[in-house]
């Protein structure tokens, strides 16, 4: 089918999309409407942690669809209990609330922290509600999560903002300390900033932040929507720095491609009362059955070690490529990595890589001078080699 035959204008224009319609995906590969194949290093933006349409997700969806799709969140269902139990068992948290997107999970974390701030008022007897977040952070696209985000320009697009999110600088403890007032209730951060270009919070910073928040009676909230679920080689990114947060949010990888997210908290922080939080689809058995199947795969012996190994391999190959083409090296954790280009050629590389024939390569450039790599966690070294060789050809073609 020709692209012009699709009535794409029926869709509201919310982003600039290339003239391609994807019709199939298997593992690391996508196929478009003309049958051209693409090696996919986006994977739905770090979502498809087991690649496109893995067998375990197909099985979980079909088996669960035959049994029960949606009894309503007003009743218990087996897959959500099983997934919550497994998440609790493998983390420092005690309770799980399921949601449908990362933004919604973060909304829940913000609401829970604010509720906690009503219970734990300041010395003057007033509610505490301010949550310190970070410049360049990304927490979602609802009004509150946009306000919590530190993306340039986001404070004005849909003004007025939701108040109560002062911004500090990542890896700068003094910048956090300066913002603490008698209204502060929490500090919220991505252990590895994803959208801003794969910037890890240092282990020292995370530990100092935990000590500082404890000292001031503040909650520590980690947004692991992108960095959690094995992406860094640890099941959860907070484990990289040996800290115990109070609240964590998950999204993206937890559903392996289907809409599923979660907020986890420790028992002391579980202050929601009946009616405070909910949602029609939250914790539905169809999606939580998929989440259970995905988590089982990540927990198989050797899986997380293989993410670490492949992350190290990808990092080393990016460094070699960087040396060959005069670029500025790699950074990241596990299989969330970035290649520093040192010049603003990101968009050009993304387009050229996509359009090469016979097979294209899908890459992401979150900043003009950076490429981000978010392969499936079960990517093979051969698929890494192939990407590096394709990218090298693209760089040569562009004269770099
Ligand atoms: C993607 C992302 C979100 C938002 O998740 P959605 O499912 O798109 O709402 C929030 N936080 C981080 C760190 C993310 O990467």
């Amino acid at each position: 089918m020709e692209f012009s035959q699709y009535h794409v204008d029926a869709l509201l224009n919310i982003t600039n999309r290339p003239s391609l319609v994807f019709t199939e995906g298997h593992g690391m590969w996508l196929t478009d409407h003309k049958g051209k194949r693409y090696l996919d290093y986006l994977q739905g933006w770090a979502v498809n942690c087991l690649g496109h349409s893995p067998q375990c997700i197909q099985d979980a969806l079909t088996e669960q669809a035959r049994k029960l799709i949606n009894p309503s969140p007003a009743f218990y269902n087996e897959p959500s209990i099983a997934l919550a139990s497994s998440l609790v068992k493998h983390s420092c948290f005690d309770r799980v609330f399921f949601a449908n997107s990362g933004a919604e999970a973060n909304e829940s974390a913000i609401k829970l922290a604010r509720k906690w701030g009503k219970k734990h008022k300041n010395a003057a007897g007033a509610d505490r509600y301010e949550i310190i977040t970070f410049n360049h952070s990304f927490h979602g696209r609802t009004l509150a999560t946009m306000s919590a985000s530190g993306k340039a320009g986001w404070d004005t697009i849909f003004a007025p903002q939701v108040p109560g999110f002062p911004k500090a600088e990542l890896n700068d403890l003094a910048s956090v300390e300066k913002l603490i007032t008698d209204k502060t209730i929490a500090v919220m951060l991505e252990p590895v900033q994803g959208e801003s270009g794969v910037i890890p919070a240092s282990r020292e910073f995370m530990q100092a932040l935990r000590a500082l928040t404890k000292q001031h009676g503040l909650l520590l909230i980690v947004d692991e929507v992108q960095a959690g679920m094995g992406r860094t080689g640890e099941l959860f990114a907070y484990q990289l720095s040996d800290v115990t947060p109070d609240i964590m949010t998950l999204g993206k990888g937890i559903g392996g491609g289907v809409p599923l997210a979660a907020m986890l908290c420790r028992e002391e922080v579980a202050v929601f009362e009946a009616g405070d939080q909910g949602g029609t689809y939250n914790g539905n058995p169809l999606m939580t059955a998929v989440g259970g199947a995905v988590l089982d795969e990540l927990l198989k012996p050797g899986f997380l070690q293989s993410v670490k190994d492949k992350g190290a391999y990808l990092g080393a190959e990016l460094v070699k490529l960087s040396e060959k083409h005069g670029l500025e090296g790699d950074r990241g954790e596990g299989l969330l990595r970035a290649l520093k280009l040192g010049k603003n050629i990101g968009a050009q590389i993304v387009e050229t890589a996509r359009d090469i024939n016979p097979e294209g390569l899908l890459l992401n450039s979150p900043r003009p001078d950076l490429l981000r790599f978010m392969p499936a966690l079960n990517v093979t070294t051969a698929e890494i080699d192939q990407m590096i060789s394709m990218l090298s050809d693209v760089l040569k073609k562009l004269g770099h």
Side-chain angles (χ1 to χ4, degrees), residues 64-321:
Q64 189 57 42
R66 279 196 209 102
K67 273 200 234 167
L68 176 66
I69 292 179
N70 183 22
S72 145
F75 300 110
Y76 291 117
N77 71 71
E78 287 175 350
S80 72
I81 299 168
L83 177 55
S85 306
S86 189
L87 288 169
V88 161
K89 182 174 163 203
H90 292 98
S91 71
C92 65
F93 302 97
D94 306 301
R95 301 275 189 158
V96 183
F97 171 74
F98 289 112
N100 311 292
S101 69
E104 197 192 346
N106 284 334
E107 284 274 337
S108 297
I110 292 163
K111 285 168 79 171
L112 189 66
R114 286 190 173 190
K115 177 92 192 201
W116 197 79
K118 283 187 185 295
K119 290 213 159 181
H120 299 82
K121 296 185 192 298
N122 62 27
D127 290 350
R128 294 192 286 155
Y129 59 87
E130 280 187 355
I131 300 174
I132 297 171
T133 58
F134 291 83
N135 284 323
H136 311 295
S137 64
F138 181 82
H139 298 297
R141 292 176 176 277
T142 61
L143 282 175
T145 55
M146 279 186 86
S147 304
S149 299
K151 266 181 99 123
W154 271 25
D155 48 341
T156 52
I157 311 179
F158 303 114
Q161 284 198 295
V162 176
F165 298 101
K167 305 288 182 304
E169 287 299 328
L170 192 69
N171 292 326
D172 177 352
L173 195 70
S175 77
V176 180
E177 213 163 357
K178 252 193 341 227
L179 295 175
I180 298 174
T181 70
D182 65 351
K183 295 193 193 74
T184 312
I185 193 61
V187 177
M188 173 167 165
L189 82 165
E190 300 160 83
V192 182
Q193 282 190 345
E195 296 308 302
S196 76
V198 192
I199 305 174
S202 73
R203 185 186 168 87
E204 300 70 47
F205 179 71
M206 289 297 284
Q207 292 195 348
L209 192 59
R210 178 68 280 192
L212 181 73
T213 47
K214 274 224 173 95
Q215 181 197 334
H216 289 269
L218 310 178
L219 302 175
L220 180 62
I221 306 172
V222 285
D223 174 349
E224 299 214 7
V225 170
Q226 188 160 150
M229 300 306 289
R231 179 60 49 188
T232 66
E234 297 291 340
L235 189 56
F236 304 114
Y238 73 81
Q239 294 167 329
L240 288 169
S241 46
D242 283 322
V243 296
T244 306
D246 301 295
I247 299 175
M248 171 172 75
T249 55
L250 298 171
K252 299 201 164 101
I254 190 176
V258 304
L260 178 66
M263 179 198 61
L264 290 78
C265 69
R266 298 203 288 132
E267 189 64 43
E268 317 82 270
V269 188
V271 294
F272 277 154
E273 293 167 275
D276 281 351
Q277 183 60 317
T280 300
Y281 298 114
N282 294 45
N284 73 80
L286 191 62
M287 296 308 141
T288 49
V290 172
V294 168
L295 184 54
D296 285 349
E297 289 294 318
L298 304 190
L299 291 172
K300 281 190 175 159
F303 188 93
L304 291 172
Q305 184 57 47
S306 82
V307 174
K308 285 184 196 156
D309 295 345
K310 251 102 61 125
Y313 183 76
L314 172 59
E317 290 302 307
L318 288 174
V319 168
K320 278 194 235 162
L321 184 81

